[in-house]
Amino acid sequence: LGVLTRVTIKLTPLPAAQAWFSLTGTLGERRTAAAQLLRDERRPSAVLMGGGTLSVELAGVAEDVTAPPGFVPCPPPAEPSASATVDVGVPPARIGELVSHIEARGLPYLAEWGVGLCRVGIDTADLVGELRAWAREFGGHAVVADAPAEFRADPWGPPPAAAAIMERMRRAFDPVGILSPPFQPETV
């Protein structure tokens, strides 16, 4: 529920240089390298893990855009390729545990380290439930992002724990639903 009364847009100039670098190795090696990158003084633009590779995007002045130790130049990582994709969100500190489950299952994925988001490729609808179970285990959620109809029986999953509170607040501030009609996932 909200009303926009003023919008300020901030424009950021493009960096003088930017490049992607990658590292291959065991999951443990990649997890350690990802944690180090997030503490790095260069402040990476993106730290993405998927398919046995850890990729990092660095941007800034040319002197700062150099490969971290053990990394080599590479193109940006590709989205997972599968019949459908599910976006799984967990607290950033738990993304490594989620990735361990996904890699053990052999699913294609692209995880945003330090953000807690992971796009997972699936080829059977029953994997949606498995991903949601993992997400709940780690305090997160899973939503079907892009899929044919057979994967979309329940694209949103269970409602969030605070759904009843949010609905009561919406009704209290907007009883006739002028500003924000009730959200009904099944109609989206």
Side-chain angles (χ1 to χ4, degrees):
L1 175 65
V3 177
L4 297 176
T5 60
R6 175 182 277 177
V7 176
T8 302
I9 299 174
K10 179 179 179 182
L11 301 177
T12 306
L14 292 174
Q18 65 188 84
W20 283 92
F21 304 97
S22 68
L23 168 83
T24 56
T26 67
L27 178 57
E29 292 167 342
R30 288 178 286 131
R31 285 178 68 171
T32 299
Q36 290 171 343
L37 285 168
L38 293 175
R39 292 189 304 267
D40 192 39
E41 62 193 26
R42 291 183 271 194
R43 311 250 335 182
S45 301
V47 178
L48 306 176
M49 187 182 293
T53 303
L54 176 65
S55 301
V56 60
E57 181 187 31
L58 298 176
V61 296
E63 299 82 39
D64 288 344
V65 182
T66 59
F71 284 74
V72 295
C74 69
E79 290 284 329
S81 177
S83 301
T85 54
V86 176
D87 287 341
V88 182
V90 296
R94 310 282 315 260
I95 193 76
E97 296 169 86
L98 175 67
V99 164
S100 295
H101 280 64
I102 293 169
E103 281 206 5
R105 192 72 163 75
L107 299 172
Y109 72 95
L110 189 61
E112 298 180 37
W113 225 260
V115 177
L117 295 177
C118 186
R119 178 154 284 185
V120 184
I122 59 172
D123 288 317
T124 60
D126 61 317
L127 289 173
V128 174
E130 191 172 341
L131 289 170
R132 285 194 174 129
W134 293 340
R136 279 192 306 275
E137 177 183 340
F138 301 126
H141 63 278
V143 176
V144 177
D146 186 21
E150 63 267 19
F151 290 84
R152 294 190 167 278
D154 181 18
W156 300 100
I165 295 170
M166 291 186 284
E167 179 59 21
R168 283 197 320 263
M169 287 178 62
R170 188 198 64 76
R171 280 191 311 239
F173 288 104
D174 186 18
V176 274
I178 294 170
L179 297 175
S180 178
F183 177 65
Q184 298 170 345
E186 62 275 3
T187 63
V188 176

